[in-house]
Amino acid sequence: MRTWTDALRFAFQPVVNLTTGGIAAQEILARPETGDILAEARRNPELDGGLAVLALRAAARKETLLPLHINVFAATLADLGGIGPLPEAVRAAGRMPWEVTLDIVPPYTHVPQRALLEAVAVLRGQGFRISADGIGDGDVPLRLLTDLSPDLVKLDASLLARPAAVRAMRTLCEELGALVAVEGVETELQHAAALSAGAQLGQGELFAPPARIPVAEVYVPPSSPAAVPPPRSGPSVREFIRPAAVLPVTASALQVRALLTGSPEVSGVLLVDQTGAPVRSVHRSRFLLSMSGRYGHALYADRPAVKLGDAPRTVGIDATAWEVLDVVAVGGPDRTSDDVTVVDRYGRCVGVVRLADLVRALAETRVEEAAGLNPLTRLPGSDAITGEVDRWLADGRVFALSWLDIDHFKQVNDGAGFAAGDELIRAVGRALQEAAVGHARVGHIGGDDFLVLADEAGLDQVAALLDATWSAGGRPVTLSLATVVCGPGSVADHRQAAACLAPLKKAAKALHGASWVLGRAGVPGHEIRRGSDAYPAEAGYAAVEP
């Protein structure tokens, strides 16, 4: 007698790292030959739980290295309190629970939220990772999403038409410690939009359609430098994570050798404990050299592989590419080609980062930055600053945008000569860079005009430049500074911020000597903080409007 499982097949669709172009995981999708088994599973939690176990078993027969994504309805987890047979199925397949991500699928309406959260806590305790699926096209409440605190959030591609929403979700995910994926990517324009909005992972027909056999390669369009947002403090390590080849810490050297010889693309093997925490790192070349030497096989084959491994070099999931390079620099020269292990907040392995990926990306970043630098001061131009303004706005940050210039600079050039004028501009630029603290950004937008983006608390260091002694060709020179403070919702983008700043600059230039005028977007009036004409009765004569 035929059962529903006889007509059931499974397909694999890759989850792609948008930065490296590599396959980060494989999602397993049920594809029945007849009937609508998924509609039945939505109504029948036991059936849905059984599908998850069958999906894992199907993957074990065809995929041995990549992390797996398995779908399960939210109502199923709330009703069953988890998926009882799944941990045993994972062990039987020779996998580790943390290699499996459960994609929690809508609908969430009428699902008891407390029961769902309790079930997710059980799954996390068993070592599974959690993904919130269908965000943007589903019905997950925002409060529930934050309570779930998923490891991954999957956005529907329809959100790409609303980039501000995707950027806001990226900011939320950074707070939650989650990655952002975009599903249903079908065109190169959508791919570029996903990159620009800050998504780290992608899925869709553009990369590869679902297939009976897991694909080894995917199509990833070449991305233009403009498609990738400039880094805040260096690219995030999340953008470079590759799947790790893992074995239990009890594995023998023969088991490691079998994995390496059967998978030439693997550069090393991580030996992990039962929780998924890395214990030792086995480098491909050093290990195979030891095994291939005289008596190597006889000496090492049946011995624990940990004897041939090194202490893993690890970084947290929130590290930057520069921090990874710091970790590499600390090790000996013989380990410069070793992968660096990325761990989550529980100390479990998330994946590995290859040094070649980081060096390539950082070199491209430096080339792109150099192309936008002012040749006189080697400071970035206005595009870099205005782009950062928009990112700070998307993050909901309060910031101060300042415009600083040299008073009567044409007279300086005419009287002291252009060489003295150029040297003065370079000196002001250097002083601004030294005064900028924390995450402040300084830009040279042309001539004697500079832009400074900073937190409000860092303004005094910038304003201290007004009190310094400046001269060109023996002629005394003063500086003018105009600042607009922008809070959440006060301006829509960098254009409105610049429009608020323009009248403040005019007011500062109208004062005698070194001057500083500060206003707040959306608040009438301004404050004169420096300037010989600064009398209390005169404050507030200009309005700063968004």
Side-chain angles (χ1 to χ4, degrees):
M1 177 179 178
R2 281 177 62 85
T3 65
W4 61 271
T5 58
D6 296 326
L8 186 63
R9 299 291 183 269
F10 290 92
F12 297 84
Q13 186 170 40
V15 179
V16 177
N17 184 312
L18 296 181
T19 300
T20 66
I23 301 175
Q26 292 281 0
E27 182 173 355
I28 314 156
L29 307 165
R31 290 291 187 265
E33 294 181 356
T34 60
D36 191 350
I37 193 72
L38 294 180
E40 295 181 37
R42 178 176 169 179
R43 297 187 294 268
N44 185 339
E46 294 287 350
L47 174 59
D48 191 34
L51 277 176
V53 173
L54 288 174
L56 177 72
R57 291 173 179 165
R61 292 192 293 269
K62 298 180 179 179
E63 173 59 59
T64 59
L65 289 177
L66 290 171
L68 306 173
H69 284 240
I70 297 174
N71 293 310
V72 60
F73 286 109
T76 295
L77 297 181
D79 189 272
L80 300 180
I83 306 176
L86 191 58
E88 178 56 36
V90 170
R91 284 190 291 270
R95 304 298 293 259
M96 304 288 281
W98 55 269
E99 296 179 81
V100 179
T101 297
L102 296 175
D103 289 356
I104 304 179
V105 180
Y108 288 84
T109 303
H110 307 308
V111 174
Q113 293 188 12
R114 176 171 294 181
L116 174 60
L117 293 173
E118 290 174 353
V120 167
V122 169
L123 291 165
R124 276 217 171 88
Q126 294 169 339
F128 294 102
R129 300 185 189 278
I130 301 299
S131 167
D133 204 347
I135 305 302
D137 194 42
D139 59 347
V140 58
L142 187 58
R143 184 180 65 182
L144 176 59
L145 178 63
T146 57
D147 289 344
L148 283 172
S149 190
D151 301 285
L152 174 67
V153 170
K154 289 189 172 183
L155 307 181
D156 187 82
S158 62
L159 275 186
L160 293 175
R162 302 164 180 82
V166 181
R167 288 195 297 268
M169 188 58 65
R170 167 71 186 261
T171 300
L172 173 62
C173 287
E174 287 177 350
E175 293 292 328
L176 298 177
L179 297 176
V180 178
V182 177
E183 297 182 290
V185 177
E186 298 180 351
T187 67
E188 294 191 6
L189 285 177
Q190 288 180 321
H191 169 257
L195 269 176
S196 179
Q200 294 111 342
L201 304 172
Q203 280 182 275
E205 297 279 341
L206 176 68
F207 309 112
R212 298 292 189 191
I213 304 295
V215 299
E217 295 183 358
V218 294
Y219 170 72
V220 178
S223 59
S224 63
V228 184
R232 294 189 183 114
S233 54
S236 169
V237 73
R238 298 168 185 262
E239 300 174 19
F240 305 97
I241 295 175
R242 292 176 177 265
V246 297
L247 286 173
V249 70
T250 55
S252 68
L254 195 59
Q255 289 174 292
V256 172
R257 184 174 183 270
L259 192 158
L260 290 174
T261 54
S263 307
E265 75 281 1
V266 172
S267 56
V269 177
L270 282 176
L271 304 177
V272 299
D273 63 19
Q274 291 184 342
T275 68
V279 178
R280 303 295 279 180
S281 172
V282 180
H283 185 267
R284 180 187 189 90
S285 297
R286 293 198 297 274
F287 173 84
L288 292 179
L289 185 62
S290 298
M291 290 289 289
S292 62
R294 192 178 184 184
Y295 309 121
H297 189 275
L299 286 172
Y300 300 120
D302 295 324
R303 297 184 66 186
V306 293
K307 301 290 185 181
L308 296 173
D310 300 291
R313 298 187 297 184
T314 62
V315 295
I317 189 68
D318 295 320
T320 67
W322 294 109
E323 290 172 302
V324 177
L325 291 185
D326 289 340
V327 171
V328 173
V330 170
D334 59 324
R335 296 196 64 189
T336 53
S337 62
D338 287 18
D339 295 339
V340 176
T341 304
V342 183
V343 296
D344 63 13
R345 58 183 179 272
Y346 303 108
R348 303 175 304 186
C349 171
V350 176
V352 295
V353 174
R354 294 183 180 176
L355 182 61
D357 289 339
L358 295 184
V359 172
R360 187 181 307 112
L362 293 174
E364 291 173 354
T365 299
R366 284 292 180 254
V367 170
E368 293 161 17
E369 288 180 353
L373 297 181
N374 186 288
L376 184 60
T377 59
R378 309 302 295 167
L379 288 172
S382 60
D383 287 348
I385 304 301
T386 55
E388 193 74 5
V389 167
D390 287 338
R391 282 186 288 278
W392 285 30
L393 283 170
D395 292 346
R397 296 178 61 174
V398 177
F399 63 87
L401 183 63
S402 299
W403 191 335
L404 181 141
D405 71 348
I406 301 168
D407 294 330
H408 312 296
F409 183 69
K410 186 177 184 306
Q411 297 177 18
V412 172
N413 259 353
D414 291 344
F418 70 87
D422 287 351
E423 182 53 41
L424 177 60
I425 289 174
R426 280 193 287 266
V428 172
R430 287 193 297 268
L432 274 175
Q433 283 184 292
E434 294 171 2
V437 294
H439 296 289
R441 297 290 302 274
V442 178
H444 183 188
I445 61 176
D448 62 320
D449 292 319
F450 296 87
L451 276 180
V452 182
L453 175 64
D455 294 322
E456 188 174 0
L459 287 175
D460 287 338
Q461 288 89 334
V462 175
L465 270 64
L466 303 177
D467 300 324
T469 300
W470 299 97
S471 64
R475 298 166 178 266
V477 175
T478 58
L479 307 179
S480 294
L481 179 67
T483 300
V484 60
V485 178
C486 302
S490 61
V491 293
D493 55 23
H494 69 269
R495 295 176 183 83
Q496 286 195 2
C500 292
L501 191 54
L504 297 176
K505 180 190 177 186
K506 184 178 180 181
K509 300 297 286 185
L511 300 173
H512 295 296
S515 59
W516 180 20
V517 168
L518 182 143
R520 297 181 183 276
V523 178
H526 64 254
E527 175 187 355
I528 299 174
R529 294 195 170 186
R530 296 279 201 289
S532 60
D533 292 335
Y535 294 103
E538 295 185 2
Y541 65 83
V544 183
E545 299 187 12

